[in-house]
Amino acid sequence: PALPITVETQLAHGSAGELTYLCRELKAPSLLAGVERLAERARADGWSHEEFLAACLEREVSARQSHGGEARIRAARFPARKTLEDFDFDAQPAVRQQIGALASGGFLTEARNVVLLGPPGTGKTHLATALGVVSCRMGHRVLFATATEWVTRLADAHRQGNLPRELARLRRYRLLIIDEVGYLPFEAGA
């Protein structure tokens, strides 16, 4: 629907109240916070209307992507937030190139599995978490749990007759991280 004439008239005169109203209606808080600075810069630099609009929209999209990434990181249930920048590649120089390639996210789009093998204390959980954080920031849904937690979750769903529903729910995640596989005892007949 078209804006009422009164709103258009007030916008033409730079009504801060109407900008506040419109940004709230559009659920664009980042735009609201920066529109005055952007407008000043646009006037000073002689931006066209299109350039100003693009800058406003870019600001809001960037804020939404950042906020969405943070929400996905929280929802992933990582044991701690780890990043690739924090990893000591000097202690594990052989993995730097492979991890760098994985950080591009290609394994996700190709639906390939990644298995990190090594003795305790070599950084497998750190790297898995860091790749999960990168994936969240790329817009992918991620879920982290230990192998024991995954087995418990799926066994409980099976016992309750909800296994197909639980598996369907898990298919919505682009990346499932299964940590501490080597610590899971395997029973005969299980």
Side-chain angles (χ1 to χ4, degrees), residues 66-177:
S66 174
H67 176 71
E70 288 303 311
R72 285 185 291 278
I73 289 169
R74 283 190 303 277
R77 299 184 187 140
F78 296 117
R81 186 177 296 207
K82 302 288 185 177
T83 65
L84 292 175
E85 293 78 22
D86 294 335
F87 187 75
D88 182 9
F89 281 103
D90 292 335
Q92 299 291 336
V95 300
R96 184 184 301 268
Q97 188 174 5
Q98 293 94 341
I99 296 300
L102 291 171
S104 71
F107 75 99
L108 293 168
T109 56
E110 296 169 4
R112 296 182 57 178
N113 295 324
V114 174
V115 179
L116 303 174
L117 299 171
T122 55
K124 298 178 300 297
T125 298
H126 184 135
L127 290 173
T129 300
L131 289 171
V133 168
V134 167
S135 300
C136 288
R137 289 185 177 142
M138 289 179 174
H140 301 293
R141 294 180 71 197
V142 176
L143 194 56
F144 180 103
T146 66
T148 302
E149 291 167 340
W150 283 113
V151 168
T152 301
R153 179 181 183 151
L154 295 174
D156 288 349
H158 179 67
R159 250 188 318 281
Q160 296 168 3
N162 295 326
L163 186 59
R165 187 176 355 184
E166 181 64 17
L167 292 174
R169 186 177 303 127
L170 292 175
R171 280 188 204 97
R172 292 183 282 191
Y173 291 89
R174 190 67 158 173
L175 176 60
L176 297 175
I177 299 174

